[in-house]
Amino acid sequence: NLWKTSLAVVLRLFLEGKWKHFPVMMCPSLYHSLHMSCCQRKSIAPVKKTDFVSVSSDESLKDTGKRLEDLYSSEEKSAILQVLNTASVNELGAFTFLRGRKSINIVKHREKHGPFQDLESLMEVPLFQYKSTVKVCDSILHPESKEKKKEKKILENSLGKFVRLGIERKKLKAAKSIVSIVFGNERIAWAHLDNTVMVLDWRQENNFKLMKETYMPAMYLKMISSVVSKIPEADFYILEKRTFSLQQTTLFPVTLHFHIVEAMLYSLLNKTFAQDGQHRVLSMNRNVVGKHFDLMLGTMRTSGMALVQQFLSDFPKQEKPWVSFPLENLVRYRSMMETDGRKIKEELWDSLLQAVAFYELFMFDPQS
């Protein structure tokens, strides 16, 4: 009881700012703790939550409390709605942030539900969220803005990283089919699509593992040659390009594995390179695909499984689906998407997403 009473007195002195008058010799350790606590409280400024919590851009915009209708004048809203309700797919695609699938989705929504009555209804269209809708409206009002130039530069840089020098754009556009290939530590998957975005072949090989003990070239050659023998013929082969931090030394074995596999796929799939010197294998940055389908969360890419499942469910219902599948294979493809949580098939659906992104960015893009 005496101890509790003494502690209560000390705490009261501390709270009243009179703790320095407390006799030091009575309890040196307690005096030191209180002294350090007080000094730290005075020297350290309070940290706001926003200093260390990353909030998604869409949520941060919503938190401002501003509706889309409040961001523009009546004249600006009329001009935006005029474009959205009258422009064709190609005309919409001429605006920044409306390239590819977004312009198609706008026209489809317009045909099904009628003209847009307000800007808020634009967010009912697939692929449109608050932030992307604001960017679209701004690009319609200011087509020659700095934002448009920046977007064009980003696209050109993405193309430069994506397409090897020496491959002309017209050759890409003339391609009748492509094979999109994505590989990981344990699996490799590919999607074979023609230029109508019809899936001709789509599968995954599980006998494809990271060699942890040794990196014998002969073993890699045997494993990858077996996979390449099953990959169908196409005009171009698109490999997913991943980047790894050089500072994470624990990832060195994984990085080495990816570089070995990538190099061997380049060599084995470029079958006619020695004769004609023409590259048929390209690399596509993983995040380029993620940004195209709004799968990025900061610098991290989220799973595309739900989007691929949407492709499969939408196909029989829509007149012009995002991706087409042979009816005789539709049930098999749907069963391929099933997972029990132990066998994640990211490579499988990523291979399909990469193929679709390739066509939309570099085949069907009206700006290309």
Side-chain angles (χ1 to χ4, degrees), residues 82-121:
Q82 175 71 15
V83 171
L84 294 175
N85 288 328
T86 60
S88 65
V89 171
N90 288 336
E91 289 171 339
L92 288 170
F95 291 100
T96 307
F97 306 111
L98 278 180
R99 300 188 182 101
R101 196 69 192 179
K102 287 182 178 178
S103 58
I104 298 175
N105 288 347
I106 286 176
V107 173
K108 284 186 175 181
H109 188 276
R110 202 169 66 198
E111 293 173 349
K112 184 176 181 180
H113 302 284
F116 293 97
Q117 300 300 321
D118 52 49
L119 300 184
E120 297 285 343
S121 58

Side-chain angles (χ1 to χ4, degrees), residues 38-299:
C38 179
C39 293
Q40 287 178 1
R41 288 182 58 156
K42 289 182 178 179
S43 61
I44 299 177
V47 180
K48 296 180 181 180
K49 184 177 181 180
T50 52
D51 289 339
F52 56 89
V53 177
S54 176
V55 183
S56 69
S57 54
D58 284 342
E59 291 299 323
S60 62
L61 280 171
K62 289 179 181 178
D63 290 342
T64 62
K66 292 185 178 180
R67 296 171 60 252
L68 279 173
E69 301 295 328
D70 300 331
L71 298 177
Y72 306 99
S73 66
S74 57
E75 293 79 7
E76 289 174 331
K77 286 186 283 188
S78 298
I80 295 170
L81 291 173
Q82 175 71 15
V83 171
L84 294 175
N85 288 328
T86 60
S88 65
V89 171
N90 288 336
E91 289 171 339
L92 288 170
F95 291 100
T96 307
F97 306 111
L98 278 180
R99 300 188 182 101
R101 196 69 192 179
K102 287 182 178 178
S103 58
I104 298 175
N105 288 347
I106 286 176
V107 173
K108 284 186 175 181
H109 188 276
R110 202 169 66 198
E111 293 173 349
K112 184 176 181 180
H113 302 284
F116 293 97
Q117 300 300 321
D118 52 49
L119 300 184
E120 297 285 343
S121 58
L122 186 56
M123 288 192 289
E124 299 173 3
V125 179
L127 299 181
F128 284 85
Q129 298 177 352
Y130 185 92
K131 182 179 178 181
S132 57
T133 303
V134 171
K135 288 183 177 181
V136 166
C137 293
D138 288 345
S139 70
I140 292 175
L141 291 173
H142 310 288
E144 300 299 329
S145 64
K146 292 182 180 180
E147 191 65 35
K148 181 176 181 180
K149 295 179 181 178
K150 181 180 178 182
E151 179 72 12
K152 184 177 180 181
K153 185 176 181 180
I154 292 173
L155 182 62
E156 290 173 351
N157 290 339
S158 299
L159 181 62
K161 293 178 182 179
F162 170 62
V163 181
R164 287 188 61 95
L165 295 176
I167 299 182
E168 298 177 3
R169 179 64 72 90
K170 63 180 181 180
K171 290 185 178 180
L172 289 176
K173 287 183 171 292
K176 296 180 179 179
S177 71
I178 63 166
V179 172
S180 168
I181 302 171
V182 175
F183 56 89
N185 294 343
E186 299 181 353
R187 292 171 291 273
I188 183 169
W190 62 85
H192 185 200
L193 277 68
D194 65 15
N195 53 15
T196 66
V197 200
M198 165 69 80
V199 176
L200 305 176
D201 185 38
W202 185 31
R203 67 179 66 186
Q204 175 176 283
E205 287 288 322
N206 296 318
N207 298 324
F208 185 86
K209 296 185 181 288
L210 166 66
M211 299 181 185
K212 297 181 180 179
E213 297 181 0
T214 179
Y215 292 88
M216 293 180 60
M219 296 298 294
Y220 264 103
L221 180 62
K222 180 179 179 181
M223 176 182 67
I224 297 173
S225 295
S226 174
V227 171
V228 169
S229 66
K230 302 173 185 178
I231 296 177
E233 286 287 331
D235 294 299
F236 291 101
Y237 300 90
I238 319 300
L239 306 185
E240 181 184 71
K241 183 71 174 179
R242 294 189 181 217
T243 55
F244 298 92
S245 172
L246 297 176
Q247 298 180 3
Q248 292 182 287
T249 56
T250 55
L251 292 178
F252 178 76
V254 177
T255 306
L256 183 58
H257 167 77
F258 272 81
H259 284 316
I260 291 173
V261 173
E262 182 183 32
M264 288 195 169
L265 287 173
Y266 259 86
S267 177
L268 294 173
L269 292 171
N270 268 316
K271 300 175 183 178
T272 61
F273 182 76
Q275 289 76 36
D276 56 24
Q278 297 295 315
H279 289 280
R280 298 175 61 200
V281 183
L282 315 173
S283 293
M284 190 168 187
N285 190 288
R286 175 177 172 81
N287 287 348
V288 171
V289 180
K291 291 175 183 177
H292 181 67
F293 290 113
D294 291 331
L295 295 176
M296 301 302 296
L297 185 61
T299 58

Side-chain angles (χ1 to χ4, degrees), residues 9-24 30-39 42:
V9 172
V10 172
L11 290 175
R12 182 167 57 81
L13 290 173
F14 173 69
L15 293 173
E16 293 176 356
K18 301 177 181 178
W19 62 274
K20 292 183 180 179
H21 301 290
F22 178 70
V24 178
L30 181 59
Y31 175 87
H32 178 72
S33 299
L34 291 173
H35 176 75
M36 293 300 295
S37 175
C38 179
C39 293
K42 289 182 178 179

